Amino acid sequence: MNCIIIEDEIHVARHLSYLLELSGMDITVDRIIGSVSESISWLSTHQTDLIFMDVQLEDGSSFTIFDHIQIDTPIIFTTSYDIFAIEAFKRNGIAYLLKPIDLEDLQAALLKFKKWFGNADSYSNLAALSSPFQKRFLIQLSSTLHSIDAADVSFFYVQNKQVFLMSKDGQKFPFDSTLELLEKRLHPDSFFRINRQFIVQRDAITEMHNETRGRVKIITEPTFKDEMIVSIDRAIDFKKWLNI
């Protein structure tokens, strides 16, 4: 597996390279890039399996790279600040590591990459995946990893700008993503985004009730403390989805 490191502090990049050697994964650093302009130039003509990307580079924010070229490669963001997490997960981010990077956190991120994007022959980019839909989710709680099958997910929801996964057995897990990114990864026959806060799994719905103005109130197992209301603009599509 090959990767590149986009980082303008050479000592940080070298330390990350060293941690990758210690990670136990068969991973080769093809190149260390220190600027937005060089990143655009290199990524326009080269491919790699995985990108490690700092957010703030010497000539600006790395998010501006996406304004110039399309990137389908999974990205592990590395930064000293946690304020960029939401934006990072809108930009192919699969993990968000805070500096100084810890070896265990790095290994967990690499395991997530392997679970999501690895196959028996090679590591492929997003466009080359045999299936575009995610079958399981890797969750890290402290030093413990949990692998949860999509069929065992009841719903995803946002609370205080953090996404959570609620399993069918009632366990709540913080999840590093956004609902927008999850919509692309979840199978549309099984999951539906009912409003800005919730994505629900079909099999988790136990009751449905008509509300005013065509809205639908749903109840899931497990139940949630707040009401789950299908928004007006999603109600028609929701009812069509139920007939699939």
Side-chain angles (χ1 to χ4, degrees), residues 62-195:
S62 62
F63 293 142
T64 61
I65 296 170
F66 300 87
D67 297 332
H68 297 272
I69 56 174
Q70 179 177 338
I71 300 177
D72 294 322
T73 307
I75 299 171
I76 295 176
F77 283 90
T78 60
T79 178
S80 300
Y81 309 96
D82 59 7
I83 60 174
F84 304 113
I86 297 299
E87 184 66 21
F89 287 111
K90 295 179 181 178
R91 307 284 190 170
N92 290 4
I94 63 167
Y96 192 89
L97 303 180
L98 290 175
K99 300 175 184 177
I101 296 172
D102 179 79
L103 178 58
E104 289 187 0
D105 291 341
L106 175 63
Q107 289 172 321
L110 290 171
L111 180 58
K112 179 188 289 188
F113 170 77
K114 183 178 179 180
K115 290 280 189 180
W116 287 6
F117 304 105
N119 58 42
D121 300 316
S122 64
Y123 295 96
S124 56
N125 64 26
L126 295 175
L129 288 174
S130 58
S131 172
F133 306 118
Q134 201 164 325
K135 296 180 180 179
R136 59 191 58 85
F137 303 90
L138 187 68
I139 309 291
Q140 180 179 359
L141 288 178
S142 186
S143 60
T144 304
L145 297 173
H146 302 264
S147 182
I148 301 175
D149 288 345
D152 294 327
V153 175
S154 181
F155 52 85
F156 294 90
Y157 67 99
V158 176
Q159 189 172 60
N160 297 324
K161 298 183 179 180
Q162 168 68 54
V163 173
F164 293 92
L165 180 157
M166 180 69 76
S167 66
K168 288 185 177 178
D169 61 2
Q171 295 187 78
K172 169 185 170 182
F173 300 96
F175 191 70
D176 290 335
S177 185
T178 65
L179 293 189
E180 288 74 21
L181 185 57
L182 278 168
E183 281 188 282
K184 299 176 182 178
R185 293 177 175 172
L186 296 169
H187 200 299
D189 288 353
S190 300
F191 291 88
F192 189 90
R193 184 169 184 178
I194 63 169
N195 55 36

Side-chain angles (χ1 to χ4, degrees), residues 15-38:
H15 180 64
L16 177 55
S17 298
Y18 173 67
L19 291 179
L20 289 171
E21 292 178 4
L22 298 179
S23 69
M25 299 283 285
D26 182 14
I27 183 167
T28 300
V29 178
D30 284 333
R31 191 178 184 90
I32 295 174
I33 299 173
S35 67
V36 171
S37 57
E38 186 183 356

